Amino acid sequence: NLSAGEIVGQARVLAAALDLRLKPFNVVLMGMGEPLHNYDETMKALRILGDEYGLALPARRITLSTVGVLPALERLAREPFMPNLAISLHAPTDAQRGALVPLNKKYGVADIIAACKRFPLKKRNRITFEYVLLAGVNDSPEDARRLAKLLSGVKAKVNLIPLNAAAGIPFDRPSDAAIDRFAKGLAQKGVVVSVRKSRGRDIRAACGQLLVEGARPSPAQQLAADAFGA
């Protein structure tokens, strides 16, 4: 529910604090709610960031991450100022993803992939699919095979994100061997893949840890706990 000014203000303050005004940098809309639920203000903010009187950021340096709100995703495909697209997928089947991403009950995996296939991409661009690896939930070799098959025909890159375990999260991080096996399984099927390197785990300050430490479980965390019997 942030205004365009509040969204732009975050980037402006940080750019000034780090003296990035004359250096190339990237902006990612992630971890602050679903951007496409706040479509008009989000797109207004991106146009301001891209304007020569704003921060003059080219669209290729901005990435919008979404769980896949289909009507808004289709609207985004018609925007003249179009950021890079990242889809928070996390599972290759509706049964698995429905337990992890409640919105999947409304917009299923097949619907999201179909929309991605229609999404206009420049010649060298790809859609990034974010996939949080959860031990024993979505990290098996069979899951990797299903994911590769699902993404067949999509100009895709998979960003594997090993879970950062924290209080309130009813899942575990896969072993390094399982992470490596999953990544190699995708690569062997011709999928472009990267594994995100976590920073700050030693002080419990990595992605996803600060938000839940010492807090009551969010509705999504409680849903996941109930679904998996944690």
Side-chain angles (χ1 to χ4, degrees):
N1 60 358
L2 296 179
S3 69
E6 289 171 323
I7 297 170
V8 171
Q10 295 182 40
R12 182 175 179 270
V13 167
L14 192 60
L18 299 179
D19 197 22
L20 299 176
R21 288 163 293 182
L22 301 179
K23 303 173 186 177
F25 64 95
N26 301 321
V27 168
V28 181
L29 284 82
M30 177 187 294
M32 52 190 284
E34 168 56 58
L36 297 185
H37 279 163
N38 190 22
Y39 188 95
D40 291 333
E41 293 300 309
T42 293
M43 294 312 299
K44 182 178 179 181
L46 297 191
R47 289 190 289 270
I48 293 171
L49 289 172
D51 192 89
E52 63 177 314
Y53 294 107
L55 291 182
L57 278 177
R60 60 183 171 80
R61 287 198 169 274
I62 301 174
T63 297
L64 185 151
S65 177
T66 174
V67 296
V69 183
L70 286 190
L73 189 60
E74 291 165 354
R75 186 179 172 189
L76 180 66
R78 300 190 295 270
E79 288 284 349
F81 187 87
M82 188 183 298
N84 299 315
L85 180 63
I87 303 289
S88 295
L89 193 61
H90 308 316
T93 70
D94 282 328
Q96 291 169 297
R97 192 171 191 262
L100 298 170
V101 183
L103 190 69
N104 194 80
K105 294 177 175 63
K106 187 172 184 179
Y107 307 119
V109 170
D111 297 325
I112 292 172
I113 297 302
C116 289
K117 289 181 177 178
R118 297 191 299 268
F119 204 82
L121 294 173
K122 294 182 179 179
K123 186 175 181 180
R124 296 184 180 180
N125 284 13
R126 297 178 184 272
I127 295 175
T128 297
F129 290 88
E130 295 153 345
Y131 194 102
V132 175
L133 284 167
L134 308 171
V137 175
N138 63 356
D139 65 337
S140 71
E142 182 59 27
D143 289 324
R145 287 190 289 270
R146 290 194 190 106
L147 181 59
K149 183 177 181 180
L150 178 69
L151 297 181
S152 176
V154 183
K155 291 179 65 178
K157 171 188 175 182
V158 174
N159 183 19
L160 297 178
I161 309 169
L163 176 74
N164 294 311
I169 298 179
F171 304 109
D172 295 316
R173 181 186 181 91
S175 66
D176 289 345
I179 295 168
D180 187 55
R181 182 175 60 241
F182 196 96
K184 286 183 177 179
L186 291 177
Q188 288 169 356
K189 295 293 184 180
V191 179
V192 177
V193 59
S194 63
V195 179
R196 180 181 295 181
K197 181 179 180 181
S198 296
R199 299 180 180 179
R201 289 174 59 203
D202 57 329
I203 58 171
R204 304 186 69 75
C207 180
Q209 290 184 320
L210 289 176
L211 179 64
V212 300
E213 190 72 48
R216 290 182 299 175
S218 71
Q221 289 163 1
Q222 188 59 55
L223 182 67
D226 294 342
F228 290 95

